[in-house]
Amino acid sequence: MNTQTQMHYIESAKRVIDIETQAIANLAERLNDDFITACNILFSCKGKVVVSGMGKSGHIGNKIAATLASTGTPAFFMHPGEANHGDLGMLSKGDVLLAISNSGETNELVNLLPVVKRLGILVVAMTNSADSSLGQHADVVLDISVEKEACSLGLAPTSSTTATLVMGDALAVALLDQKGFTSDDFALSHPGGSLGRKLLLKVSDIMLSGSDIPLVNLNATVADALLEISKKGLGMTGVIAPDGSLTGVFTDGDLRRILDARIDVHSATVEDVMTKGGKTTTAEQLAVEALNLMETYNITALMVTDEKRKPVGAFNMHMLLKAGVL
């Protein structure tokens, strides 16, 4: 492949990106009362938001429906062709139809409007023409028009589908913010993926407990502490007071410091060289929050304590990685 051909690829790609970037930028100028009305209609929907579109608009509609559903607005996609042959039964009173058609004249979509209107279902249209058949019969129109397609022939839906997708995302996120949708809510709709693991997994789900917790008493020697660290494999050990409460931790970093100071590990007690206090977490804390704590203080392992500061568990970065939190 010669250099001229390679440059042609790059130039074509840059032209597409420039055109589509401008198409998205133009959308911001159209965020007016119509957008507010559309948000209010979707926010007040007592049923489902039913998204429908044909062809490329349908593909984009599928994604918009999925985004709405995962961010707190119940939604699904309805193929307009199938709807004309029975699937219109998916719609019921209380639903809202989010209809997508660049021209606003897509037959399969326009043919649904009489029945939709008879059911009293509100219609939010995403189209490039408010004067189109879809636009005239919609309760509100969101303008997704573009100056030109990024396709060099001006035929393939490119910048128009990008603009539609971005407008859909704008709706979904505006509704998310208005509903006060939280990361915990988001995780509930993503329990099987890495997002769910990060947002739902608690410290109690991954920590070592019982006899697996690395612990030594205050009067233990440094050598005893090193044996405990080696045995439990977390790179640190907790140090407990006579009442069983955590009074400090002894880590690999503490060991390096005492070796530099030429302290005798067989005679020195761990109380003399430990890190007093130490950062801890609780069993009920989300694992991702514990990870943030570890990253903030550059800690590779954490003790888990109860309300009386008694150790109930311990874990390290490797365990977070294995659990899919990292």
Side-chain angles (χ1 to χ4, degrees):
M1 185 180 296
N2 59 43
T3 302
Q4 186 176 0
T5 299
Q6 293 174 345
M7 290 303 299
H8 177 73
Y9 287 154
I10 298 298
E11 290 171 1
S12 294
K14 286 183 176 180
R15 185 182 67 251
V16 170
I17 292 171
D18 288 343
I19 292 173
E20 297 202 8
T21 297
Q22 186 59 52
I24 294 171
N26 291 341
L27 287 180
E29 301 174 4
R30 304 179 202 145
L31 297 180
N32 50 27
D33 289 343
D34 289 336
F35 183 81
I36 295 173
T37 299
C39 287
N40 285 334
I41 289 174
L42 297 179
F43 183 81
S44 302
C45 178
K46 302 301 183 184
K48 298 285 196 299
V49 176
V50 182
V51 185
S52 193
M54 198 71 185
K56 301 298 186 295
S57 293
H59 296 311
I60 298 300
N62 252 308
K63 193 275 179 185
I64 292 174
T67 300
L68 287 168
S70 68
T71 53
T73 301
F76 64 87
F77 178 78
M78 178 183 69
H79 192 288
E82 299 296 335
N84 277 287
H85 296 278
D87 281 3
L88 193 56
M90 294 178 176
L91 277 171
S92 58
K93 290 185 177 180
D95 291 341
V96 171
L97 178 64
L98 178 56
I100 306 172
S101 171
N102 191 38
S103 67
E105 300 295 345
T106 304
N107 288 331
E108 293 87 348
L109 203 54
V110 172
N111 289 342
L112 302 178
L113 295 177
V115 179
V116 169
K117 286 297 183 178
R118 186 173 180 180
L119 290 172
I121 292 172
L122 297 178
V123 178
V124 176
M126 296 176 70
T127 179
N128 69 16
S129 174
D131 295 328
S132 63
S133 298
L134 176 60
Q136 290 177 1
H137 291 89
D139 294 279
V140 64
V141 174
L142 296 178
D143 184 359
I144 55 167
S145 60
V146 297
E147 293 181 1
K148 59 181 177 180
E149 298 289 4
C151 166
S152 56
L153 299 176
L155 299 174
T158 44
S159 52
S160 60
T161 49
T162 300
T164 305
L165 179 62
V166 172
M167 184 65 81
D169 286 343
L171 281 173
V173 175
L175 293 170
L176 176 152
D177 291 340
Q178 181 63 26
K179 292 181 177 184
F181 196 75
T182 67
S183 59
D184 287 344
D185 296 323
F186 190 81
L188 290 174
S189 61
H190 297 76
S194 60
L195 288 172
R197 287 194 297 275
K198 288 182 179 181
L199 295 171
L200 291 179
L201 206 64
K202 294 182 178 180
V203 168
S204 59
D205 296 320
I206 63 170
M207 70 183 189
L208 297 177
S209 59
S211 60
D212 292 325
I213 305 173
L215 293 173
V216 295
N217 297 315
L218 275 171
N219 59 0
T221 65
V222 173
D224 292 331
L226 292 176
L227 287 174
E228 184 71 357
I229 291 174
S230 177
K231 180 180 178 181
K232 303 298 173 62
L234 291 186
M236 65 93 174
T237 181
V239 183
I240 54 175
D243 65 356
S245 63
L246 185 74
T247 187
V249 293
F250 182 73
T251 69
D252 291 338
D254 294 319
L255 174 60
R256 287 191 292 272
R257 283 190 290 273
I258 66 172
L259 290 177
D260 289 340
R262 299 184 181 278
I263 294 175
D264 186 353
V265 298
H266 296 287
S267 60
T269 65
V270 72
E271 181 180 11
D272 298 327
V273 296
M274 70 181 184
T275 298
K276 292 181 172 59
K279 300 297 180 183
T280 64
T281 186
T282 64
E284 292 303 307
Q285 188 172 42
L286 292 175
V288 69
E289 292 177 329
L291 171 62
N292 290 337
L293 175 66
M294 296 169 79
E295 290 178 334
T296 298
Y297 292 98
N298 196 27
I299 299 169
T300 59
L302 266 182
M303 296 296 299
V304 185
T305 58
D306 62 15
E307 65 278 2
K308 296 181 179 179
R309 200 172 166 78
K310 292 187 177 181
V312 296
F315 65 97
N316 62 10
M317 280 286 191
H318 178 73
M319 295 167 68
L320 291 172
L321 177 62
K322 187 175 180 181
V325 179
L326 278 172

